[in-house]
Amino acid sequence: MMTIFSKNRLDFFVLPVLLLLCFPGFAQRYVKGLSPQESMKTFQLQEGFGIEPFVTEPDVVLPVDMVFDEHGNVYVVEMGDYPYDAKLGNFKGRIRLLRDTNGDGKVDKSYVFAEELPSATSVLPWKGGLIVTAAPDILYLKDTNGDFKADVKEILFTGFFAKNSEAQITSLRFGVDNWIYANNHGQGGQITSKQNPGAAPVDVSGGDFRFRMDRGLFEVESGSGQFGLALDDWGHRFVTQNTLHIQQSPIAYRYIHRHNFMPTYRSETNISDHELVMFQKSATPYWRQQRSDRRQAKYDSLKSGYKEYARDHFTGASGGTFYGGDGFGASFYGSIFTGDVSGNLVHRDILKSVPGQPTYVASRDEKEKDHEFLAATDTWFRPANFTLGPDGYLYIVDMYRQHIETPVSIPEDLKSDMDFTNGDTYGRIWRLFPTSGQKRDAQLTDLSARKSEELLALLSHPNQWWRLTAQRMLLERQDMSIVSLLKKTFAESKDAKGRLHAFYVLEGLNSLDAEIIKKALNDAEPGVREHALVLAEKYPQYLPEIIKLTEDVSPQVAFQATLSLGQFSEKEVLPALAGIAEKHADNASYRLAILSSNPGSSADFPELLLSRGMYFNKSSDGKLKFIEDFAFVSGSRNGKNEISSLIIVLSKTEKNWQIAGLNGLTKGIKRSKNKKEADKNIVKGLLKLEEGASEDVKKAITGVRNSLVI
């Protein structure tokens, strides 16, 4: 039988075939996923390490976080809504409970602990249950009847940003200081506590978040981490953001906001010394190359000079995690491991302290100058997160899927053959281990029956997981019978980390006293001295020790001493801050630390600096920036005689100091909420300053005049 086609119908059938023949790659723009064993073969791993599956689909799917609790359980967060917004009535977030029931170190049971959660992203054990970030809430879930399903569901906090799932509350971490930290990516929200309804709402706009379960406290924290929060042994915070794989927030929010007159600043610092470059082994996705080519053509047409990168640069950095384990060897302790889900790789940073600099520097290891710790050619490999295990090994949370990007970031025409749900039935947790020595079994350890004295001994364990777990359990128990043992441990332990953990268990039991604080201020370990300074702020008698520590050999201790010094108002404070300004004004963090304090931004400070000769020493960009920002604060606050007294000081300085100060005044006055008529002393001061002034100084004076109400 003959079939007759019209011309249009012939085109309908023939053209796609011709396209496939002429462009064989068209039908295979995006490769299919691989089995765990096949995917593992594509891993190019740092010499001396091996990798194996710990648990895979169907026992986990779409994992983004994992924790080991003290009962021998493993909890995995599954982000079923990604990459779309969670839909009310159809939430797909889920928490999986994994167990080893026969003691062989392998997961053999997988339970759905909780489901129908909106965009769950991270979990943290607490009192036999879990704290869960699930925007707009932070929840508490617990199984009370032993069926491995949460039957308790409480809202702890609410009000968080709940749209873009790549920028929500996440990355819960229990800190050595007994606070729980979380990334908020600077998103807005008025946060209220369901358990403490009388507490005033906290505005988290522009910051991250922290809270204490034992005391019902919650507050905004500095920084704007996205997905990944690393806390080192001494509580320093390092956060991950898509294109900036490691940043540090060296100044707590409570210091920066001691007054409300500061100019615009950044509370986090990019600490990488190797730019945005990474060594990618996987192929560039078709859509990404097309999008980059289009963007580059636009930049070139505008002659912007901007360079668009389709690969080999961090764009999907995720899950930065501090390695505090005892399984990889001493040379790896303290590393920060970060995934890049777009580049299908795992990057490692070494942290280094630099004299005079509060922040650390993150560098590549000498053995990884031209390659990553792990890089896969499998484009579905998505190392979204990591966790340290009780065994001292590192676990990689692989969200294994075809496309990791949110659809809103991709042009419409390029999405025509992209299935953003492809991979919704996959998920892998990988276990990293050293190949030298005897390989350790996975440990799913039950500590719940350990006595408090036994937990106290674990505060000096070489693996950070054991130390933090023991500290958290002691905080939960509030067992006052061990206070004397804790004090003995702090006084006699030769392990610095153990002393710090004991110090904070005492703090959590409200059992610190002035004597312990003084001993901690003189501890041999810088990290202990640093934390002692924070708590010494409650003890005015220790102001001399705080001033002394501003000259500490440890940059972190000296910087914390500067922050703590600004909490006091005694007469010794101003001279000490003046000395710090003279020495460290070129450092942006130090400028922020001094100027955010009330004494360091007071009207008396410029006159003191003048008397010490700071303005007559060789100027630098940092010193000029300091006086500009100081003047901004003065203009913004606009207190009685504040502006006029600063103008008098400026009249006694050289031209470049005058211009910097006047420009700062102009900016501050324009932003001031304290609008009032300029007093006669300001007018007179400007007239005197104008006499014989250069044109650029006169221009700066005009700026001040125009900003004033005269």
Side-chain angles (χ1 to χ4, degrees):
M1 182 175 67
M2 182 179 291
T3 302
I4 300 175
F5 295 102
S6 69
K7 182 178 182 297
N8 288 339
R9 291 200 67 192
L10 183 63
D11 289 345
F12 179 81
F13 284 99
V14 173
L15 287 179
V17 176
L18 290 175
L19 283 171
L20 290 175
L21 292 174
C22 296
F23 305 100
F26 179 84
Q28 295 182 356
R29 285 179 179 171
Y30 307 111
V31 299
K32 295 181 179 180
L34 303 175
S35 70
Q37 293 301 325
E38 291 171 331
S39 180
M40 191 168 63
K41 291 177 182 178
T42 76
F43 294 169
Q44 299 179 31
L45 190 58
Q46 174 66 28
E47 184 179 357
F49 283 85
I51 194 168
E52 64 185 2
F54 176 65
V55 61
T56 66
E57 69 273 356
D59 291 327
V60 295
V61 294
L62 301 174
V64 294
D65 194 20
M66 181 179 101
V67 293
F68 294 84
D69 79 353
E70 70 274 20
H71 295 278
N73 299 318
V74 180
Y75 292 95
V76 177
V77 180
E78 299 180 338
M79 201 171 180
D81 296 300
Y82 190 83
Y84 302 103
D85 290 341
K87 302 296 184 183
L88 185 63
N90 189 33
F91 294 148
K92 298 179 180 178
R94 186 164 55 188
I95 297 174
R96 187 88 65 161
L97 167 58
L98 308 176
R99 291 181 58 82
D100 168 20
T101 61
N102 58 15
D104 64 353
K106 297 180 181 179
V107 170
D108 51 50
K109 290 290 184 181
S110 176
Y111 305 90
V112 176
F113 180 75
E115 56 187 339
E116 298 180 1
L117 302 173
S119 297
T121 57
S122 67
V123 290
L124 185 76
W126 180 260
K127 287 191 174 181
L130 288 179
I131 302 170
V132 183
T133 55
D137 305 322
I138 295 180
L139 307 171
Y140 180 69
L141 307 179
K142 188 173 183 177
D143 166 26
T144 62
N145 58 18
D147 65 353
F148 308 114
K149 296 181 183 294
D151 50 82
V152 170
K153 180 180 178 181
E154 301 175 1
I155 296 176
L156 300 176
F157 305 99
T158 191
F160 295 100
F161 173 77
K163 291 295 182 182
N164 183 357
S165 55
E166 292 184 359
Q168 295 178 359
I169 188 74
T170 188
S171 303
L172 291 165
R173 300 290 183 270
F174 180 73
V176 70
D177 59 358
N178 295 325
W179 286 83
I180 296 170
Y181 292 83
N183 284 349
N184 181 56
H185 201 40
Q187 298 291 351
Q190 294 290 324
I191 311 307
T192 57
S193 170
K194 293 293 186 179
Q195 295 190 327
N196 187 8
V202 170
D203 184 358
V204 292
S205 301
D208 287 333
F209 187 65
R210 74 172 191 165
F211 57 99
R212 284 190 68 154
M213 292 294 291
D214 59 326
R215 295 181 181 173
L217 303 175
F218 61 106
E219 60 188 37
V220 62
E221 183 53 283
S222 60
S224 56
Q226 189 174 11
F227 197 83
L229 171 56
L231 295 179
D232 72 5
D233 289 325
W234 316 109
H236 303 122
R237 291 184 299 123
F238 307 91
V239 298
T240 311
Q241 190 268 339
N242 275 349
T243 58
L244 298 173
H245 73 279
I246 184 164
Q247 298 182 88
Q248 184 179 355
S249 295
I251 310 178
Y253 186 94
R254 63 186 181 276
Y255 296 122
I256 305 175
H257 291 80
R258 289 180 282 203
H259 61 75
N260 298 317
F261 309 106
M262 291 292 293
T264 302
Y265 59 84
R266 282 186 60 85
S267 63
E268 61 269 271
T269 302
N270 178 12
I271 64 171
S272 172
D273 69 356
H274 44 286
E275 301 299 328
L276 308 176
V277 178
M278 64 187 189
F279 299 103
Q280 183 175 346
K281 297 297 183 183
S282 56
T284 307
Y286 172 82
W287 71 266
R288 181 180 289 274
Q289 189 63 60
Q290 288 288 310
R291 186 182 70 174
S292 294
D293 290 346
R294 295 176 190 181
R295 288 178 173 176
Q296 192 62 57
K298 182 178 180 180
Y299 298 143
D300 292 345
S301 68
L302 297 173
K303 298 181 179 180
S304 67
Y306 187 82
K307 176 66 175 176
E308 171 79 12
Y309 297 98
R311 61 177 293 115
D312 295 328
H313 286 69
F314 287 102
T315 59
S318 180
T321 299
F322 177 80
Y323 177 73
D326 60 343
F328 287 0
S331 63
F332 286 87
Y333 192 98
S335 298
I336 304 289
F337 286 87
T338 307
D340 190 286
V341 294
S342 297
N344 319 108
L345 55 84
V346 175
H347 177 77
R348 181 170 75 101
D349 281 300
I350 306 296
L351 298 179
K352 300 176 182 177
S353 182
V354 178
Q357 182 172 311
T359 54
Y360 287 81
V361 173
S363 305
R364 286 183 176 274
D365 184 77
E366 288 298 322
K367 296 180 180 179
E368 297 166 19
K369 292 294 187 182
D370 60 356
H371 64 277
E372 301 298 341
F373 181 86
L374 188 162
T377 58
D378 181 1
T379 57
W380 286 48
F381 173 59
R382 309 294 186 182
N385 218 334
F386 307 83
T387 194
L388 174 65
D391 54 12
Y393 293 168
L394 193 68
Y395 292 74
I396 302 175
V397 180
D398 178 6
M399 202 184 181
Y400 202 82
R401 60 190 295 118
Q402 189 173 58
H403 302 293
I404 196 67
E405 296 76 12
T406 174
V408 299
S409 67
I410 301 174
E412 288 297 323
D413 64 303
L414 295 179
K415 291 190 284 192
S416 60
D417 60 347
M418 296 175 69
D419 180 0
F420 291 95
T421 64
N422 199 2
D424 282 2
T425 58
Y426 295 100
R428 288 95 192 258
I429 308 293
W430 303 96
R431 185 175 183 246
L432 271 171
F433 57 89
T435 52
S436 61
Q438 185 174 356
K439 181 180 170 185
R440 300 177 179 179
D441 292 332
Q443 291 178 280
L444 302 180
T445 307
D446 187 353
L447 300 179
S448 59
R450 299 278 185 101
K451 296 179 180 180
S452 296
E453 293 83 352
E454 295 176 288
L455 294 177
L456 191 154
L458 295 177
L459 297 179
S460 296
H461 196 283
N463 184 344
Q464 188 192 50
W465 180 89
W466 292 80
R467 297 195 303 272
L468 285 175
T469 301
Q471 178 179 331
R472 174 178 56 79
M473 292 176 67
L474 290 170
L475 184 68
E476 293 169 357
R477 290 182 181 182
Q478 291 290 302
D479 183 356
M480 301 301 294
S481 69
I482 62 166
V483 167
S484 60
L485 286 175
L486 282 164
K487 290 182 177 181
K488 181 178 175 64
T489 298
F490 176 73
E492 299 178 3
S493 176
K494 295 182 180 180
D495 182 80
K497 300 183 186 73
R499 292 198 300 276
L500 184 61
H501 286 286
F503 181 76
Y504 270 110
V505 175
L506 284 167
E507 188 272 347
L509 298 179
N510 297 302
S511 298
L512 283 181
D513 55 38
E515 183 180 346
I516 296 174
I517 298 293
K518 184 173 183 178
K519 186 173 180 62
L521 286 169
N522 292 280
D523 196 275
E525 172 57 48
V528 177
R529 299 198 298 275
E530 189 177 353
H531 282 275
L533 281 161
V534 176
L535 297 179
E537 293 169 8
K538 300 177 182 178
Y539 297 87
Q541 66 266 37
Y542 293 142
L543 180 56
E545 280 84 354
I546 293 174
I547 293 174
K548 180 181 177 181
L549 288 172
T550 63
E551 299 288 341
D552 197 271
V553 293
S554 164
Q556 288 70 42
V557 174
F559 186 64
Q560 179 57 53
T562 301
L563 292 168
S564 296
L565 180 62
Q567 296 291 91
F568 295 87
S569 58
E570 282 75 2
K571 59 182 176 58
E572 301 96 331
V573 172
L574 272 185
L577 287 176
I580 295 168
E582 292 167 359
K583 183 177 180 180
H584 294 294
D586 287 324
N587 185 282
S589 294
Y590 265 104
R591 293 197 299 271
L592 182 55
I594 296 169
L595 293 173
S596 63
S597 72
N598 289 311
S601 62
S602 66
D604 295 331
F605 202 47
E607 184 68 41
L608 179 60
L609 293 175
L610 181 67
S611 69
R612 295 170 64 102
M614 176 175 172
Y615 298 104
F616 301 106
N617 294 330
K618 184 178 179 181
S619 64
S620 65
D621 290 342
K623 289 180 178 179
L624 292 174
K625 180 62 174 171
F626 180 87
I627 193 60
E628 179 183 342
D629 288 348
F630 181 93
F632 183 102
V633 174
S634 297
S636 178
R637 184 164 47 210
N638 197 9
K640 184 177 181 180
N641 299 325
E642 188 165 8
I643 295 175
S644 58
S645 65
L646 177 58
I647 291 173
I648 292 173
V649 172
L650 291 175
S651 69
K652 302 174 184 178
T653 65
E654 298 177 355
K655 167 185 167 181
N656 51 354
W657 295 102
Q658 292 175 0
I659 294 172
L662 292 166
N663 287 340
L665 275 174
T666 298
K667 296 173 185 176
I669 293 169
K670 286 180 178 179
R671 205 189 71 172
S672 179
K673 295 180 180 180
N674 185 20
K675 302 291 185 182
K676 60 184 180 182
E677 185 175 349
D679 63 52
K680 294 179 181 180
N681 289 330
I682 295 177
V683 177
K684 289 179 180 179
L686 291 175
L687 285 171
K688 183 176 180 180
L689 190 59
E690 196 171 28
E691 295 175 2
S694 63
E695 289 302 315
D696 42 6
V697 172
K698 289 180 179 179
K699 182 179 178 181
I701 291 171
T702 300
V704 175
R705 282 201 181 105
N706 291 340
S707 65
L708 288 167
V709 180
I710 298 179

